[in-house]
Amino acid sequence: MRTGSSSSSSWRWQLSRAMRLSLRWFRRCRLQRGGRGGATERRIGGRLLELWSYSRLLLTSLHFNSLTNADTLLDCAFEPVYWIVDNVTRWFGVVFVCLVTLLTTSVVVIVYLFVLPTILSTYPSYWVAWHLSCGHWLLTMVVFHYYKATTTSPGHPPKDKIHIPSVSICKKCITPKPPRTHHCSICNACVLKMDHHCPWLNNCVGHFNQRYFFSFCLYMTLGCFYCSVSSKALFLEAYGAIERYYQTPPPTDIYIETTAQKSIIFLWVLTSTVTVALGGLTLWHSILISRAETSVERHINHKETKRLQEKGKVFKNPYHHGTMNNWKLLLGVEERRHWVTRVLLPSSHLPNEDGIMWDFSFTRTDPMAI
Ligand SMILES: [Zn+2]
Ligand SMILES: [Zn+2]
């Protein structure tokens, strides 16, 4: 450590010496020229000197600042890259929301035009009733939760109140940060119980819209699974017909038929892909909810667990109230009937906590635990 610090200090000393010498040389040159040169030359020289001293001041303030470390320097160097990424994500958010709306609408249209008529004409009445009720229930839940997840604010710390429980100060907002609050560089604001910034919602997922986000993921996965299973027989039929269509010369009057077949293939491929991809994401978030962790806290807690493990201690999440209680807290289930009215049906109820004060009901049973 000593060797490292002495070499770094000698390196710093050499750099500052080189800078001082260059400045002295520059001043001498300027003085020599100043005797002969005109006013324009002096003006240009003055500006260059000003630029130089500004750069020197900038370097010195970064170099001799006790708070500066390699991370700060890297942050400064990558600031333009972050700016571009944040702005691109912000703009892509609008495109992604349009894409979700467009693809969902296309799936619903294809089901109404090609899948539902087949179900109505070929299935027995009890299956028809089941398909009609299940399909429409899933569609309602998807539309409701997507609308709420995109339009509900995730929650921000109050700017007018100073005396709120806080763990640190946000260096970008210059406001106190309550526990579980993190700064979102895309929204450029602190978000209560921040999970992540979702480009598909063009919104941050936080304390007040996490339930909508999770329910949307769950019902979208179920909806896509339902469409994929319901249209499987039609898809196999259409796939075989399309293969034959490309192998033999096509008749002229089957344009509408091929459109239907292509639409069903598109429907099945899209819904099956979304089922797998979104199903994985939903499963991951289910694990996080069971552990009472947000995506951000997952990384923090993982690091903390490792750090304490090295000291022979055990990390315990202070927000973990038991798997079932964590689910009840997220879904807002206080009574048994709420499983139906608040989980299986659209509901706009707010979370119990305000996102600022948290209930630390965790008790230390292990004397070595933290
Ligand atoms: Zn902030
Ligand atoms: Zn955000």
Side-chain angles (χ1 to χ4, degrees), residues 328 332-343:
K328 282 181 178 174
V333 175
E334 288 160 4
E335 297 166 37
R336 205 172 260 189
R337 66 184 169 90
H338 286 163
W339 286 107
V340 177
T341 55
R342 293 187 167 186
V343 181

Side-chain angles (χ1 to χ4, degrees), residues 96-120:
F96 278 18
V97 169
C98 293
L99 202 68
V100 171
T101 315
L102 200 77
L103 290 176
T104 312
T105 313
S106 69
V107 164
V108 173
V109 168
I110 293 169
V111 168
Y112 270 110
L113 285 179
F114 306 115
V115 183
L116 213 58
T118 317
I119 290 171
L120 290 172

Side-chain angles (χ1 to χ4, degrees), residues 184 187 197 204:
C184 173
C187 298
H197 184 94
C204 244

Side-chain angles (χ1 to χ4, degrees), residues 160-176:
D160 49 332
K161 288 181 194 165
I162 304 163
H163 302 290
I164 54 166
S166 56
V167 286
S168 61
I169 301 280
C170 175
K171 58 184 176 184
K172 298 215 170 142
C173 304
I174 325 288
T175 49

